[in-house]
Amino acid sequence: MNKIRFGPAGNSESFYEQGHQSSVEMPKWLHDMGLDAYEYSVTRGIRLKESTAGEIGEQAAKWGIAMSLHAPYYINLASREEEGRKKTVRYLYRSMEAADWFGAKRVVFHPGSAGKGDREQAMEAAKKLLLRVLEQCSEFIAKGIHLCPETMGKKNQLGSLEETLDLCQLDESLIPTLDFGHLHARSQGGIRTAKDYENILDSIPGALGDRRGRAFHVHFSRIEYTAAGEKRHRTYQETEYGPDFEPLAGLLLQKNLEPVIICESRKTMAEDAVRLQKILQEKFSLFNEARL
Ligand SMILES: [Zn+2]
């Protein structure tokens, strides 16, 4: 089977209920559940110490967990003021630095706000600033750490699929984060069938080449939305909300893709990552039976 990794964004409620207190214990906990990825969130600011990050990273390496980092929410590549642009460069630089402490190879971030003005102008500004970020972060990029702009769930945010791929075209080191919940919310429930997923997956190699068309980053959770887009993330058991993982699982196997899949369910992200992994494994068994 192709190597597809699964893990949670942050720590499940059950991790704490079982008496654990520190994220240093997460890698082994995840390994014991059969998971092999972990996204650490510094979405409200980078407050952790280098030594703590180093300890978590050591545990992750020991237990075979691929780490990624989610950068702060305050980032806005399309910021209109120089002060805001400086802050964005600094947050991304510090996120890359923290990723290096962890031994994480991927830094996920939200591109920013489209603002009230012209969307194309906002995108031009975003690309210009992202080039500045890439230059500032070159020492970390040289170490193989990738910045991964995310597709966003609200229409007033930069981060449609096209915009995200457009940003990633600026540099080979940029890897897209496909948040399928966000894409579903943004398109008012547009992800229902395998074909809907296939249209998304097939757009990547054309824009970014085969390597990034295979080994992209994924955020997955069911999602509640309004006319403006994303409202809140739901758990995988709340089946009244989309999207479903099953059609995607089939395509990942058929197309031999190797993304890292991070589950962003509320409270049960690790348990739901296991559910997604099971769905994939069941698909894989069915495929093999069909081949015999
Ligand atoms: Zn995100």
Side-chain angles (χ1 to χ4, degrees):
M1 195 165 107
N2 29 335
K3 183 68 183 166
I4 299 175
R5 289 179 178 272
F6 289 90
N11 304 352
S12 277
E13 211 167 58
S14 59
F15 174 76
Y16 297 107
E17 281 167 4
Q18 289 168 26
H20 299 286
Q21 283 170 350
S22 161
S23 296
V24 175
E25 298 167 73
M26 267 299 274
K28 180 178 186 303
W29 192 78
L30 294 173
H31 170 84
D32 290 347
M33 289 177 86
L35 296 171
D36 48 16
Y38 177 34
E39 191 154 294
Y40 190 93
S41 298
V42 291
T43 45
R44 304 193 190 278
I46 304 164
R47 295 193 200 98
L48 91 162
K49 285 188 288 189
E50 181 174 354
S51 57
T52 313
E55 274 177 64
I56 298 170
E58 242 168 63
Q59 287 294 310
K62 179 173 173 189
W63 297 104
I65 308 290
M67 287 214 56
S68 48
L69 189 83
H70 197 310
Y73 289 142
Y74 329 117
I75 285 161
N76 184 4
L77 287 178
S79 180
R80 284 164 188 272
E81 281 89 41
E82 179 55 19
E83 194 47 41
R85 288 193 285 268
K86 272 189 189 151
K87 272 189 190 153
T88 287
V89 174
R90 194 160 61 232
Y91 283 134
L92 283 169
Y93 180 88
R94 294 206 53 218
S95 301
M96 290 291 266
E97 181 184 51
D100 194 26
W101 297 341
F102 279 108
K105 293 292 180 223
R106 295 180 175 192
V107 173
V108 176
F109 71 97
H110 298 175
S113 165
K116 290 197 178 71
D118 183 69
R119 201 160 180 119
E120 264 174 49
Q121 270 175 19
M123 268 304 284
E124 285 316 307
K127 285 193 222 171
K128 217 169 131 189
L129 191 60
L130 184 52
L131 285 173
R132 207 165 119 189
V133 170
L134 290 166
E135 205 182 291
Q136 290 285 320
C137 295
S138 57
E139 61 187 291
F140 303 115
I141 293 167
K143 289 182 174 180
I145 306 173
H146 302 266
L147 283 166
C148 308
E150 179 177 342
T151 58
M152 298 307 301
K154 294 194 182 106
K155 290 175 188 165
N156 64 2
Q157 293 167 311
L158 290 180
S160 66
L161 176 63
E162 294 72 24
E163 286 165 349
T164 304
L165 296 181
D166 200 10
L167 288 174
C168 287
Q169 281 179 330
L170 283 180
D171 191 78
E172 286 274 322
S173 70
L174 296 162
I175 292 177
T177 298
L178 302 186
D179 187 313
F180 287 101
H182 286 168
L183 291 171
H184 186 67
R186 198 178 184 104
S187 60
Q188 301 292 296
I191 303 181
R192 294 177 194 280
T193 64
K195 189 71 202 154
D196 297 329
Y197 278 113
E198 194 165 24
N199 289 338
I200 297 170
L201 296 176
D202 286 354
S203 66
I204 317 173
L208 305 177
D210 284 344
R211 177 181 57 85
R212 288 184 283 177
R214 285 188 72 211
F216 45 90
H217 203 68
V218 168
H219 281 175
F220 201 96
S221 71
R222 295 190 185 276
I223 202 157
E224 183 182 349
Y225 58 86
T226 65
E230 169 185 12
K231 186 170 175 198
R232 69 168 71 87
H233 290 237
R234 292 287 179 169
T235 70
Y236 202 71
Q237 278 166 314
E238 294 175 293
T239 50
E240 63 267 43
Y241 302 99
D244 271 314
F245 185 65
E246 224 190 289
L248 177 59
L251 286 168
L252 295 177
L253 292 169
Q254 264 175 43
K255 293 175 181 287
N256 202 26
L257 305 179
E258 302 196 318
V260 175
I261 299 177
I262 298 296
C263 182
E264 286 192 312
S265 293
R266 299 167 75 212
K267 297 177 183 172
T268 57
M269 46 288 245
E271 288 82 352
D272 281 0
V274 172
R275 280 190 187 95
L276 301 182
Q277 188 185 42
K278 286 233 164 73
I279 292 170
L280 186 88
Q281 282 161 353
E282 276 160 26
K283 280 267 174 203
F284 182 68
S285 315
L286 284 175
F287 271 0
N288 275 357
E289 271 171 39
R291 267 185 224 148
L292 289 173

